Amino acid sequence: MNIYVLLKRTFDTEEKIMVNNGSIEEDGAEYIINPYDEYAVEEAINQRDQHGGEVTVVTVGNEEAEKQLRTALAMGADKAVLINTEDDVETGDQFTTTRILEAFFEEKEVDLILAGNVAIDEASGQVGPRLAERLGIAYVTTITALKIDGDQVSLEKDVEGDIEKIDTTLPLLVTCQQGLNEPRYPSLPGIMKAKKKPLEELEIDDLELEGDEVEPKTKTLEIFLPPEKEAGRVLEGELNEQVKELVSLLRNEAKVL
Ligand SMILES: Cc1cc2nc3c(=O)[nH]c(=O)nc-3n(C[C@H](O)[C@H](O)[C@H](O)COP(=O)(O)OP(=O)(O)OC[C@H]3O[C@@H](n4cnc5c(N)ncnc54)[C@H](O)[C@@H]3O)c2cc1C
């Protein structure tokens, strides 16, 4: 099976993020594999181990993303591709990323593409479904179980805490949700092996794209951090008094009543 994983390098939202001049300060930020893409890598490896074939991890980004690609190789992926846009594309959006990925997949024989459900930084959840539409293949989002038998596929999909069961066929794109599996940590031998695994680097002209074909369709006007939360207030005294004070605060201070 030809299995591909779409992997995004994101900053770690659990670390402190600084915004400077309307953009996120790269220096000092921690970068990781988008956590939902770790489920995608794990699932791709498991499916390959069951059915044979090869797992290729693909990123649209810059050279810094090599680290995250090597981590995916150390987990067990076979090959990695970095589509480096650094020199050719100044700004981009979901259209840009999808258009580049579409060009990459145009000549490829694909059985299964796994993406994350959402990227934890910009969180549009668009890239997977958009790509499947452009490639003309079926897609199922937020999957929590995947079983393949020949070209028949049975899936479970998270629908707001409930489960929907879906049957479909390959070729297919899925987006992965928490609960699908438990992503492994790269082992030491895995890390050593990853250094020798192929990591191909492409630029957009290798995909026969010009800069103006991938120009973003949207414009980010402003990026800002949410206002700091004020400390909570603990009411004291008799219960009756507390209730009166609470109602008064909600009416006069919070103005929600
Ligand atoms: C050249 C370029 C320049 C950019 N410049 C800017 C900018 O100036 N300002 C700005 O705010 N944003 C910029 N972006 C980022 C862009 O707006 C989005 O972050 C990106 O297109 C993905 O959208 P998302 O984060 O909402 O991902 P989602 O659609 O939420 O991601 C879902 C899944 O899609 C896949 N995916 C998403 N992105 C990638 C990727 N890059 N490579 C491989 N798989 C991926 C992953 O599997 C991910 O889990 C740029 C992107 C590119 C390619």
Side-chain angles (χ1 to χ4, degrees):
M1 272 216 292
N2 286 327
I3 307 174
Y4 288 86
V5 176
L6 310 181
L7 184 145
K8 185 178 183 190
R9 170 183 180 260
T10 57
F11 50 80
D12 188 348
T13 49
E14 292 193 0
E15 298 292 325
K16 194 165 169 54
I17 290 163
M18 308 277 281
V19 173
N20 205 349
N21 278 338
S23 55
I24 290 154
E25 190 71 73
E26 297 241 341
D27 289 344
E30 288 292 323
Y31 284 87
I32 54 170
I33 296 178
N34 178 42
Y36 291 97
D37 303 354
E38 290 184 348
Y39 300 122
V41 175
E42 178 67 33
E43 194 60 29
I45 295 166
N46 292 339
Q47 294 297 335
R48 177 208 57 201
D49 291 349
Q50 282 174 47
H51 304 287
E54 209 171 54
V55 174
T56 307
V57 189
V58 189
T59 289
V60 180
N62 59 30
E63 232 152 53
E64 309 285 327
E66 216 184 290
K67 187 170 168 215
Q68 284 70 34
L69 289 172
R70 288 276 173 217
T71 304
L73 292 172
M75 286 172 76
D78 301 289
K79 292 199 233 162
V81 179
L82 169 62
I83 306 173
N84 191 341
T85 52
E86 205 160 20
D87 295 337
D88 308 305
V89 194
E90 213 173 295
T91 59
D93 64 2
Q94 290 74 11
F95 168 81
T96 311
T97 305
T98 309
R99 183 69 193 87
I100 293 170
L101 288 170
E102 179 192 357
F104 171 78
F105 281 109
E106 223 147 55
E107 302 292 316
K108 301 270 181 301
E109 285 217 1
V110 169
D111 296 301
L112 181 65
I113 303 176
L114 299 108
N117 161 38
V118 76
I120 58 165
D121 50 2
E122 291 186 48
S124 69
Q126 289 189 22
V127 171
R130 273 182 176 232
L131 178 65
E133 280 292 327
R134 301 294 304 183
L135 298 177
I137 62 173
Y139 68 90
V140 182
T141 55
T142 58
I143 66 153
T144 52
L146 171 66
K147 203 161 172 284
I148 299 175
D149 185 3
D151 71 344
Q152 300 298 306
V153 185
S154 308
L155 298 140
E156 287 184 9
K157 171 181 161 63
D158 172 36
V159 276
E160 304 266 321
D162 231 327
I163 291 173
E164 189 178 344
K165 293 189 178 202
I166 297 174
D167 288 342
T168 182
T169 51
L170 299 177
L172 176 71
L173 184 148
V174 293
T175 74
C176 302
Q177 171 68 312
Q178 189 174 13
L180 177 62
N181 52 44
E182 203 52 60
R184 70 194 72 189
Y185 288 105
S187 63
L188 193 57
I191 295 169
M192 299 311 286
K193 269 195 217 156
K195 291 185 181 161
K196 294 197 183 126
K197 289 184 179 174
L199 193 157
E200 186 185 6
E201 195 171 320
L202 300 173
E203 294 189 358
I204 64 162
D205 32 322
D206 298 316
L207 303 173
E208 285 166 31
L209 283 174
E210 302 281 342
D212 57 0
E213 287 175 82
V214 297
E215 267 178 21
K217 303 278 187 198
T218 56
K219 191 171 168 191
T220 302
L221 299 179
E222 200 179 351
I223 292 180
F224 53 89
L225 295 173
E228 291 220 1
K229 274 197 188 149
E230 285 177 28
R233 208 152 123 189
V234 180
L235 303 179
E236 284 174 2
E238 290 296 318
L239 193 59
N240 285 358
E241 296 305 315
Q242 285 188 38
V243 171
K244 274 192 203 149
E245 195 182 346
L246 178 62
V247 171
S248 154
L249 286 169
L250 290 174
R251 183 166 292 144
N252 303 321
E253 239 177 63
K255 298 195 189 324
V256 292
L257 291 182

